[in-house]
Amino acid sequence: MPKGKPIKIIDYFRGRLAVNLKHFVAILLCIFVYNSLTAQTDNSFFTQKETFAKTSPKKLALRLAHIGHFQNHEFNSNLQHGYTLPGFQLIPTMAYQLDSQLLIFAGASLQRLYGDAQWFQAEPMLTLSYFTKWGRFNFGNLQGSLDHQLPETMMGYGQVLQNRQETGLQFLGNTKNISYDLWLDWQKAIRPDDPFKERFVTGFSGNWKAINNKHLQLAIPAYLSIFHSGGEIDRSTGINATQYNFNTGLSCTLGKIKAGILFDFYEDESAQSIDTFRDGWGQRAYLQYTGKVLQSELGYWDAHQFQAPQGELMYQSLSRKEMGRSYFFRKMYWTRWSLRKSFNPQAEALFRCGTWYDVHQNTLDFSVEIYVKWNLDIKLN
């Protein structure tokens, strides 16, 4: 396959910013025709922000948080292998509120895959949270993974099952019209003469509601992730690497209908290219409709040399199935439906299925997923 011509971000704005309107209009027509059968798809089912909520001063509380999962992904494209992932996560935690501003949070993250008696993970957790009138500061285990609210192109929802725990520093801010998350996730530390590089990820997730009332919400998001590996005391022969992902766009919510356009950018500023491409971009148009139980989404993806170290593989241009194979231009349609049922405030279930049609490869991928979640809160004094 011939190599694609590198495109800098400034070139994107000059000549490639215009979205292919016929695709987006087609999505609009489809969703309004079928809106009686569809609803919004989101990943809020997987978030656990309440785990870090404040309790009353001098109070001790125990929480058990559980997610059971059964994922089956059938991928016919050449981008990634299909797989099945059955198992569960259990996160027992204890929280003690020292005063009105300080919360100590300690526990463990336990994970097991069904059908593999040898596969079991246990990781300790410890967080100090400091609350101010501007927001919350976390030191230790972060409110990470999908709680960052990054788009799927930058943070795949599979991260919550495979790389949920993040450790480092974090500040969360929230006002009436602006919310943001700034974090540093230290993924690998080094000691003198270690044969590998240190590695960390820092990021920003923000959302400004330009219009915010009960009838209409107009929001402008901004997301940034920086991936770096390096160090001065290791003896690794690998190169220092720095990669960037940036995303922004516009979303509009009118009643139960939400439409949006997001623009993704990728830059590799390493001494040598890490993932084949030096830079790339993508644009995504989507339309969602939200009901009480039913949820769905229709979307279109158009990209050139796009990469994201933590993003969903289906959006990327470098194959993980056939090493060395690249797709410099990507065009893809997708749709997802889900049923989300709450049994009570502590327990709910989610059934979700999706299809992704790759235009250039002429392939259809699909997935079926089942999740159950329950939280048990116990006051200990």
Side-chain angles (χ1 to χ4, degrees):
M1 181 176 293
K3 283 186 173 293
K5 183 180 179 180
I7 296 179
K8 292 293 184 182
I9 287 178
I10 187 66
D11 297 324
Y12 178 90
F13 279 109
R14 286 173 177 167
R16 295 183 177 272
L17 187 60
V19 176
N20 193 329
L21 292 179
K22 67 179 181 181
H23 297 291
F24 191 57
V25 170
I27 293 172
L28 289 172
L29 292 175
C30 289
I31 195 72
F32 281 108
V33 169
Y34 295 105
N35 64 9
S36 62
L37 299 176
T38 59
Q40 180 180 350
T41 299
D42 60 47
N43 291 318
S44 60
F45 179 90
F46 304 101
T47 60
Q48 289 287 341
K49 286 190 174 182
E50 66 273 16
T51 300
F52 290 81
K54 291 194 295 184
T55 62
S56 301
K58 304 301 180 183
K59 292 294 184 179
L60 183 65
L62 170 67
R63 156 159 292 202
L64 297 176
H66 167 272
I67 291 182
H69 54 87
F70 185 91
Q71 295 182 341
N72 183 49
H73 301 278
E74 300 292 338
F75 297 129
N76 297 308
S77 69
N78 291 320
L79 288 169
Q80 58 180 319
H81 293 281
Y83 64 92
T84 302
L85 191 68
F88 72 88
Q89 283 184 351
L90 179 64
I91 304 178
T93 57
M94 297 187 68
Y96 183 71
Q97 189 76 36
L98 293 173
D99 54 36
S100 60
Q101 291 183 293
L102 286 172
L103 169 68
I104 296 176
F105 169 85
S109 177
L110 311 175
Q111 187 168 3
R112 169 72 189 281
L113 287 184
Y114 298 143
D116 187 350
Q118 304 299 319
W119 203 98
F120 176 78
Q121 288 185 344
E123 183 177 352
M125 301 171 60
L126 181 64
T127 299
L128 175 66
S129 292
Y130 178 71
F131 296 85
T132 73
K133 63 180 180 181
W134 300 286
R136 178 189 308 177
F137 176 78
N138 290 326
F139 181 86
N141 286 84
L142 310 182
Q143 293 174 234
S145 186
L146 299 187
D147 280 307
H148 292 312
Q149 304 297 314
L150 294 171
E152 284 188 350
T153 50
M154 293 177 63
M155 176 72 75
Y157 68 90
Q159 294 286 329
V160 76
L161 300 179
Q162 301 175 34
N163 299 289
R164 181 167 193 164
Q165 297 305 321
E166 299 178 11
T167 51
L169 306 171
Q170 181 180 39
F171 185 79
L172 296 157
N174 192 13
T175 65
K176 181 180 179 181
N177 295 317
I178 299 176
S179 60
Y180 58 93
D181 179 358
L182 180 65
W183 72 93
L184 171 65
D185 173 25
W186 204 272
Q187 297 185 340
K188 184 174 287 291
I190 58 174
R191 292 175 290 186
D193 296 326
D194 273 339
F196 48 80
K197 299 285 187 181
E198 67 183 7
R199 185 175 67 247
F200 64 84
V201 179
T202 185
F204 173 83
S205 173
N207 193 53
W208 173 47
K209 296 179 181 178
I211 301 176
N212 185 19
N213 57 58
K214 64 179 181 180
H215 302 293
L216 175 66
Q217 293 85 45
L218 184 67
I220 300 175
Y223 311 101
L224 173 67
S225 292
I226 303 173
F227 307 86
H228 179 75
S229 62
E232 299 179 358
I233 61 175
D234 63 276
R235 55 181 176 86
S236 170
T237 58
I239 63 172
N240 293 344
T242 304
Q243 298 168 284
Y244 300 86
N245 280 124
F246 176 71
N247 176 294
T248 190
L250 182 69
S251 69
C252 179
T253 303
L254 182 62
K256 295 182 178 181
I257 297 174
K258 180 179 180 180
I261 298 177
L262 292 173
F263 304 99
D264 281 276
F265 305 96
Y266 167 73
E267 290 281 349
D268 182 355
E269 297 295 336
S270 309
Q272 299 177 14
S273 178
I274 300 300
D275 287 326
T276 303
F277 306 124
R278 277 295 188 179
D279 48 39
W281 55 265
Q283 52 195 13
R284 183 163 60 113
Y286 66 91
L287 195 64
Q288 303 168 336
Y289 179 85
T290 291
K292 187 176 181 180
V293 176
L294 278 167
Q295 303 176 329
S296 81
E297 179 180 59
L298 293 175
Y300 170 72
W301 171 249
D302 181 12
H304 174 72
Q305 299 184 172
F306 179 74
Q307 285 296 105
Q310 291 182 330
E312 281 291 340
L313 293 178
M314 65 187 67
Y315 294 105
Q316 304 193 31
S317 298
L318 184 63
S319 175
R320 296 301 191 269
K321 188 175 184 179
E322 299 181 10
M323 299 306 296
R325 186 164 187 173
S326 303
Y327 295 87
F328 295 95
F329 293 94
R330 296 283 318 283
K331 293 183 185 296
M332 181 177 68
Y333 296 93
W334 81 87
T335 179
R336 284 188 294 191
W337 298 271
S338 64
L339 296 171
R340 184 172 177 175
K341 174 65 176 178
S342 295
F343 302 103
N344 55 55
Q346 287 76 42
E348 59 181 324
L350 174 68
F351 171 81
R352 182 157 70 179
C353 62
T355 58
W356 294 265
Y357 174 68
D358 189 291
V359 175
H360 290 162
Q361 298 185 66
N362 192 28
T363 56
L364 185 67
D365 301 334
F366 65 91
S367 67
V368 177
E369 306 162 54
I370 301 174
Y371 305 93
V372 293
K373 179 175 75 172
W374 54 263
N375 296 320
L376 179 63
D377 295 299
I378 304 173
K379 295 181 179 180
L380 299 179
N381 66 348

